[in-house]
Amino acid sequence: MPELPEVETTRRGIAPFIEGQEITEVLVRQPRLRVPVPDDLAERLVGTRIGVLTRRAKYLQIPIQPVAANEMSATLLWHLGMSGSLRIAKVGDLPKKHDHVDVVTASGYVLRYHDPRRFGFVDWQLDDEALDKRLAHLGPEPLSDAFNGKWLYTLSRNKRVAVKPFLMDNRVVVGAGNIYAAEALFMAGIDPRRAAGNISRARYDGLALAVKEVLAAAITQGGTTLRDFVSGEGEPGYFAQRLNVYGRHGQPCLRCGTELRRITLGQRASVFCPGCQR
């Protein structure tokens, strides 16, 4: 599943081609996604301009700016699901199987949505983000100042849940999925099985910094190559080449040589080093 770095990589990849461009056509080949494609998608989009793309957690937010002054602006909320990708094509490029939605711009570039499993969606975001149930209860962005050790320490008090599923809770922080939580906990030297409420403020300071470092590195490397993820320009991610623990169970720790162990936490596989993580 594309995680925050993959979605941010997609945003950065597609933005230069479509921001500020007029939409001339919308083609919906398969409307039956996880959430059905809105019936009025083409009607509302054609003749508008695309604003500056943003991201909230794993949602891409595409502002739509009307040409007429008396028309209302809107925001498209796009989620890539388990296997989706948004890529840039050109007018005339033939669609492939599972290319479900095209947004065509006057410049000749096409924003093309590809999703074999159809678990993603495109939908209208509510005008008031605080009232949109998909966004209202999300925690802070991990690379923002709002996310820090004090925040983690405060939320974790009296929590018996293991620290890894605690860190993966989107109400705590967005974007720390299974891969990046495992890598951040390794970097911070924290055993993923430890109760969240039994970790000191100092160690949470280190964990918050590790989350920021791991995610920033993954974004710089273009995300992690999982299944068929590619960026908006069709390039695979390369962060997988730098993973310390995820997917490496049974292999020696790159830091101390101890054999890495795999356990299950919160119904998710987790790999850690018994020697480095306490």
Side-chain angles (χ1 to χ4, degrees):
M1 172 186 285
E3 297 289 349
L4 184 149
E6 288 77 37
V7 179
E8 178 63 17
T9 297
T10 296
R11 184 193 70 80
R12 296 182 184 189
I14 66 178
F17 297 94
I18 63 172
E19 286 181 348
Q21 296 299 318
E22 180 184 351
I23 298 173
T24 58
E25 187 179 9
V26 175
L27 302 173
V28 179
R29 300 183 188 87
Q30 173 55 270
R32 296 192 302 273
L33 304 180
R34 176 156 61 96
V35 176
V37 175
D39 294 334
D40 62 352
L41 188 67
E43 178 185 350
R44 292 180 64 180
L45 286 182
V46 172
T48 64
R49 289 190 181 275
I50 298 173
V52 177
L53 276 61
T54 55
R55 178 194 51 74
R56 182 70 175 105
K58 295 192 288 184
Y59 296 98
L60 273 173
Q61 297 169 305
I62 304 180
I64 304 302
Q65 302 169 342
V67 176
N70 61 342
E71 295 180 0
M72 297 292 291
S73 61
T75 300
L76 280 178
L77 198 65
W78 218 310
H79 194 281
L80 302 182
M82 294 288 291
S83 60
S85 62
L86 279 167
R87 308 177 189 180
I88 297 298
K90 292 183 178 179
V91 172
D93 289 349
L94 294 177
K96 300 177 181 178
K97 186 179 181 181
H98 308 305
D99 284 347
H100 302 315
V101 180
D102 279 2
V103 178
V104 184
T105 67
S107 64
Y109 288 111
V110 179
L111 180 62
R112 178 164 286 171
Y113 181 58
H114 177 88
D115 191 352
R117 297 190 181 187
R118 288 190 284 160
F119 285 170
F121 67 84
V122 55
D123 197 8
W124 299 107
Q125 180 181 306
L126 294 184
D127 292 337
D128 186 347
E129 186 173 316
L131 298 179
D132 194 312
K133 63 181 181 181
R134 297 162 294 196
L135 306 174
H137 302 295
L138 294 175
E141 289 288 326
L143 300 181
S144 71
D145 292 339
F147 176 66
N148 50 45
K150 180 180 179 181
W151 170 260
L152 288 175
Y153 181 76
T154 301
L155 288 187
S156 67
R157 295 307 85 193
N158 301 317
K159 291 278 197 310
R160 296 183 178 180
V161 64
V163 65
K164 184 159 184 258
F166 169 74
L167 188 62
M168 292 173 60
D169 187 338
N170 279 327
R171 294 167 297 183
V172 175
V173 60
V174 299
N178 198 25
I179 300 171
Y180 304 109
E183 293 297 308
L185 286 164
F186 172 79
M187 186 178 295
I190 298 175
D191 189 319
R193 301 170 296 181
R194 289 198 62 179
N198 291 339
I199 295 174
S200 69
R201 165 65 190 278
R203 301 201 77 191
Y204 271 127
D205 287 342
L207 180 58
L209 289 175
V211 169
K212 292 175 184 288
E213 185 172 336
V214 166
L215 290 174
I219 291 169
T220 300
Q221 294 295 318
T224 302
T225 300
L226 288 178
R227 299 187 179 94
D228 60 349
F229 169 73
V230 293
S231 71
E233 297 170 286
E235 296 295 330
Y238 294 102
F239 187 69
Q241 299 174 11
R242 300 182 57 184
L243 296 177
N244 290 296
V245 289
Y246 183 87
R248 297 190 63 247
H249 62 278
Q251 299 180 41
C253 173
L254 298 175
R255 183 183 294 166
C256 73
T258 300
E259 182 178 315
L260 300 179
R261 289 181 55 191
R262 182 172 64 181
I263 56 175
T264 300
L265 288 171
Q267 299 181 329
R268 302 294 298 274
S270 186
V271 181
F272 73 106
C273 174
C276 294
Q277 296 175 252
R278 302 296 175 89

